[in-house]
Amino acid sequence: MRKALIVWGGWDGHEPEQVADIFAKMLQEEQFEVEVSNTLEAFADADKLLGLDLIVPVWTMGTIEQDFVNHVSAAVQHGTGLAGCHGGMCDSFRNNVDWQFMTGGQWVAHPGNDGVNYTVEICQSPSPLVEGLEDFSVCSEQYYLHVDPAVEVLATTRFPVVEGPHSYNKAVDMPVAWTKRWGLGRVYYNSLGHHADIVDQPQVREMMRRGLIWAAEGKAQALSNVSGVRNSYSGMADSQ
């Protein structure tokens, strides 16, 4: 039975407990054994994280011990999947660039705040993560992110919708959902999910279901390629 760890907390405005509950039920329906924790101490046991198929952070605007980030990073490098949404994964720890490097992006703004009507455009891609999905509209925060150019973009949204200092630049297509690799591990992110009702919107729910499963499925493949694991990486000393 595949094992998943969901860790929720941080800013209550993103309804982390409710979002964690949606993800837990989603994964249980897919026959995962799910542990849910509301403390970052859940990242303290490095060996336990290495044994997981999937880690799902639901934690916005917090601070985290560097050792905990190192433990998550090592687990993902060895094949444990990492998947999450909105501020719960890419606005988790603003002062930790290692986390941002691993996840593939960092929130910087949401022009217009909550209640912006915008379109999520599904990319033309052979990825099974978007197969059969169609563009859809959402009324929520529209995330402007700083994004790793290495990610594979699965969905985008067009800026500007709401005027602001950014709108003096040319129109841009901002990634909404992406995947990337971190060592042998698979990483999936979706910027939707300001509140639990957005996560539970059918299109978003299906995107997240596919992303969670895809990230977890990388573990079996990684186990057959343990010789390819690099236990450390250079160039980040200044961040620690």
Side-chain angles (χ1 to χ4, degrees):
M1 199 171 191
R2 290 175 293 182
K3 296 182 179 181
L5 171 65
I6 300 172
V7 181
W8 66 268
W11 184 58
D12 286 338
H14 280 162
E15 301 179 348
E17 185 174 10
Q18 296 93 318
V19 171
D21 185 61
I22 291 171
F23 289 155
K25 291 176 180 177
M26 190 182 296
L27 289 168
Q28 288 163 352
E29 289 172 359
E30 299 292 337
Q31 306 305 308
F32 279 77
E33 177 183 328
V34 181
E35 177 184 350
V36 180
S37 174
N38 65 350
T39 172
L40 293 175
E41 290 291 331
F43 296 145
D45 189 336
D47 290 336
K48 179 180 177 179
L49 298 184
L50 286 167
L52 297 173
D53 295 277
L54 180 65
I55 296 171
V56 184
V58 190
W59 199 290
T60 303
M61 291 190 296
T63 57
I64 188 170
E65 293 185 25
Q66 184 61 44
D67 283 349
F68 292 175
V69 176
N70 293 345
H71 294 168
V72 175
S73 176
V76 178
Q77 288 180 63
H78 283 75
T80 299
L82 182 69
C85 73
H86 202 62
M89 185 161 128
C90 281
D91 191 24
S92 297
F93 311 112
R94 295 179 183 178
N95 64 337
N96 195 288
V97 294
D98 285 349
W99 182 270
Q100 295 161 21
F101 193 11
M102 175 174 60
T103 58
Q106 171 61 38
W107 170 88
V108 294
H110 41 61
N113 298 309
D114 195 12
V116 175
N117 290 293
Y118 62 96
T119 300
V120 175
E121 298 183 11
I122 303 299
C123 295
Q124 296 298 313
S125 169
S127 172
L129 289 170
V130 294
E131 183 179 0
L133 299 182
E134 297 181 353
D135 299 350
F136 62 95
S137 297
V138 66
C139 181
S140 184
E141 291 180 338
Q142 187 185 30
Y143 259 21
Y144 205 103
L145 300 123
H146 287 171
V147 180
D148 184 343
V151 304
E152 179 180 348
V153 179
L154 301 173
T156 64
T157 185
R158 175 59 63 95
F159 279 87
V161 172
V162 176
E163 294 299 311
H166 66 294
S167 61
Y168 286 80
N169 302 296
K170 66 180 181 180
V172 296
D173 292 316
M174 178 62 57
V176 168
W178 66 68
T179 60
K180 69 170 290 184
R181 302 304 175 105
W182 189 250
L184 299 181
R186 297 178 175 184
V187 178
Y188 174 85
Y189 175 70
N190 192 314
S191 71
L192 300 166
H194 179 54
H195 291 137
D197 63 332
I198 299 297
V199 177
D200 220 19
Q201 184 172 325
Q203 299 95 328
V204 182
R205 186 181 182 91
E206 178 60 15
M207 292 176 77
M208 287 304 309
R209 185 190 70 81
R210 295 185 189 189
L212 293 167
I213 294 171
W214 175 85
E217 286 175 343
K219 185 60 176 283
Q221 182 178 359
L223 290 174
S224 66
N225 190 29
V226 291
S227 62
V229 175
R230 297 183 179 93
N231 291 319
S232 63
Y233 61 99
S234 63
M236 296 297 290
D238 288 344
S239 73
Q240 300 176 10

